[in-house]
Amino acid sequence: MDSHKGAITLILVVLIIFGIFVSFATGVFDPIMTKISNGFNNMVDSVFSGSGMNWGGAK
């Protein structure tokens, strides 16, 4: 029974990793990553502009 638990766990891990690869390949995460990066850029710009270190950003 222990070997079956290990095999089932391994199969689940492989399926999860395969699902992650497929979701990246089909562009599921692209809008999420774009939204996160835009928010991060706005946060960094607001932090540095308030401290007198306005270097213009990396745009």
Side-chain angles (χ1 to χ4, degrees), residues 2 5 18 24 27-28 41 44-45 48 51 53 57:
D2 289 332
K5 288 181 184 177
F18 181 72
F24 271 113
V28 172
N41 283 337
V44 170
D45 288 342
F48 284 119
S51 65
M53 296 172 43

Side-chain angles (χ1 to χ4, degrees), residues 3 6-7 9-10 13-14 16 19-20 22-23 26 28 31-33 35 38 40-42 51-55 59:
S3 63
T9 303
L10 186 60
V13 168
V14 168
I16 289 171
I20 291 171
V22 168
S23 61
T26 56
V28 172
I32 298 168
M33 296 303 284
K35 186 176 181 181
N38 287 338
F40 185 74
N41 283 337
N42 290 337
S51 65
M53 296 172 43
N54 192 4
W55 51 278
K59 296 177 182 177

